[in-house]
Amino acid sequence: MSAGLRRRVTDLACRALQAILPPSLQSWGWAVRCEAASIPDDTKALLFTLDSLCGLMPRAVASHLLYPFASLIGDGAPLSEGSSIMNIFHATMRRPRALGIASAIGAVVLGIVYMAIAGAPMRYLGINAGALVIGLTMLALLGRPVAAGQRWTGVAIIAIAGMLLATAFLGSEVEGAARWVKLGGLAIQPSLILLPVMLVAFCRTRSLPATAGIVAAAAAIALQPDRAMAGMLALCLATLAVIRRDRHVVVALTASVASFAATLAHADTLPAVPYVDQILYSSFNVHAGAGLAVLGGSALLLVPAIVGWSRDADNRATYAVFGAVWFAAIMAAALGNYPTPIVGYGGSAIIGYALSLLALPKLAGASTGVGFGTVGTTDRSPSDHHLLVALA
């Protein structure tokens, strides 16, 4: 290779490096270019440039791959472009919402592994994967920081309660239970999609309209009837009452207990659905790997709540309610013929889990203030705006 050609290759490599580096690493690109230009020997300049290219390229690629997830995390800022794997791990642990996204992806993948081993129809695998894409897309769109007022949370909770009531009266009925809505040939369960985010929203903002919405939702769940969702409602509000009790929580808890009692009075005769119900046990009959995938995926759902509780004392009520929601769903699947969330076949829980991540703070340790205004009680953190807009 001639000296002129070596110098042209060096210049081309420097230009390529500057083109691919993200803005925060552009100074490195300019430094490499200046250093290469100052080296009189063409061969040494070329080797220096290629060595720098190999060193910086992985960081640049990692930064571009992580950038799309920044909007899902909600703070609009990507993880550090110069992160090592450990730095990325620690940064993720500080971001409850990002941790929740990783948990959702991991649980869905493990659920797909279970269904593949168990011989489920291929379209089941595709539907769960598609639900994950839909859920994360909705999370990205609804999680954008737009200012909104507290009053919209109560309105949104009332609107959700209205949808649950409409499902109870107009939804598809099977064996006396009306919990589903037909949509595009698929049966979706609105309560499994909407109730988790509704409960965490109520945890963050409690007001008279929000409490009325919770009471109406409790009535809707009793009418459907859905013992699993009624248990979720009662467990979450009992958890909230222990951590942060006020008159709104007490009223909502009373209604939820009455709803749960009403569902217990009805015999639940729905049979177990293959790949949906009872798979916490039956998966081990298929293969040990399938059973471990189901258990591992179910445990992943609780990781954001456990990590958030230990790292973010200011928002423990939110993490406790979030954890109670999904612990109740898992326990219901263990005790009766109810959908096994995320790891079993069905997109409602997957979308519901993604939407419930809207309520998690952007960063662990973010300051939280507690206000006692005239319209209710608000636990406010920087991510509140996302939740309020999402619900509205």
Side-chain angles (χ1 to χ4, degrees):
M1 184 183 292
S2 65
L5 181 58
R6 288 195 291 271
R7 186 57 68 175
R8 285 195 293 274
V9 172
T10 299
D11 183 65
L12 183 62
C14 288
R15 291 177 183 275
L17 181 60
Q18 286 183 293
I20 196 171
L21 285 175
S24 60
L25 292 179
Q26 279 296 319
S27 59
W28 285 89
W30 281 108
V32 170
R33 190 168 188 174
C34 294
E35 183 68 20
S38 67
I39 299 175
D41 186 278
D42 295 330
T43 300
K44 291 182 178 178
L46 177 58
L47 292 175
F48 167 78
T49 303
L50 293 178
D51 184 58
S52 301
L53 187 65
C54 293
L56 290 172
M57 191 67 75
R59 296 186 179 187
V61 173
S63 175
H64 287 294
L65 290 176
L66 288 171
Y67 184 79
F69 293 97
S71 59
L72 297 178
I73 293 169
D75 56 5
L79 300 175
S80 172
E81 286 79 357
S83 293
S84 64
I85 292 178
M86 286 306 296
N87 286 337
I88 292 174
F89 171 78
H90 288 302
T92 303
M93 295 295 282
R94 291 183 59 248
R95 290 171 164 82
R97 192 177 300 177
L99 189 59
I101 292 169
S103 297
I105 294 173
V108 170
V109 169
L110 289 172
I112 289 175
V113 169
Y114 151 70
M115 288 192 287
I117 295 175
M122 284 300 296
R123 69 184 181 88
Y124 284 15
L125 283 62
I127 287 173
N128 274 26
L132 177 63
V133 173
I134 292 172
L136 294 183
T137 301
M138 294 176 69
L139 175 62
L141 294 175
L142 298 176
R144 291 178 178 176
V146 181
Q150 174 190 347
R151 64 186 182 280
W152 295 111
T153 301
V155 174
I157 289 177
I158 289 176
I160 290 175
M163 286 185 272
L164 296 179
L165 282 169
T167 302
F169 289 113
L170 306 173
S172 301
E173 187 172 327
V174 179
E175 300 284 345
R179 307 168 188 166
W180 302 273
V181 172
K182 293 285 188 181
L183 186 64
L186 296 174
I188 64 171
Q189 187 176 339
S191 59
L192 204 47
I193 296 175
L194 299 172
L195 198 60
V197 68
M198 179 190 199
L199 284 169
V200 187
F202 180 73
C203 165
R204 303 290 292 277
T205 302
R206 301 177 295 282
S207 62
L208 183 59
T211 304
I214 293 292
V215 173
I221 297 300
L223 289 171
Q224 291 188 6
D226 191 334
R227 195 177 297 171
M229 293 297 101
M232 175 189 291
L233 197 64
L235 179 62
C236 289
L237 292 168
T239 302
L240 186 58
V242 171
I243 299 175
R244 197 158 290 169
R245 182 170 60 247
D246 57 34
R247 66 182 187 280
H248 300 292
V249 175
V250 172
V251 171
L253 175 60
T254 302
S256 69
V257 171
S259 174
F260 186 51
T263 59
L264 292 176
H266 291 79
D268 199 340
T269 58
L270 285 173
V273 178
Y275 312 111
V276 179
D277 304 327
Q278 297 290 334
I279 65 172
L280 288 170
Y281 310 113
S282 62
S283 56
F284 282 97
N285 297 331
V286 176
H287 191 277
L292 291 174
V294 170
L295 289 184
S298 299
L300 278 177
L301 304 183
L302 305 178
V303 169
I306 296 171
V307 173
W309 176 275
S310 63
R311 287 175 170 256
D312 189 2
D314 291 339
N315 294 295
R316 280 184 170 170
T318 301
Y319 298 117
V321 170
F322 181 88
V325 164
W326 295 106
F327 178 76
I330 295 169
M331 289 306 297
L335 299 175
N337 294 335
Y338 300 102
T340 310
I342 314 294
V343 292
Y345 166 61
S348 298
I350 297 173
I351 297 174
Y353 189 84
L355 288 180
S356 67
L357 296 176
L358 285 164
L360 297 184
K362 294 178 298 183
L363 291 172
S367 61
T368 301
V370 179
F372 297 91
T374 56
V375 296
T377 303
T378 301
D379 303 338
R380 185 169 292 274
S381 75
S383 62
D384 282 347
H385 294 320
H386 303 180
L387 174 62
L388 297 171
V389 171
L391 287 171

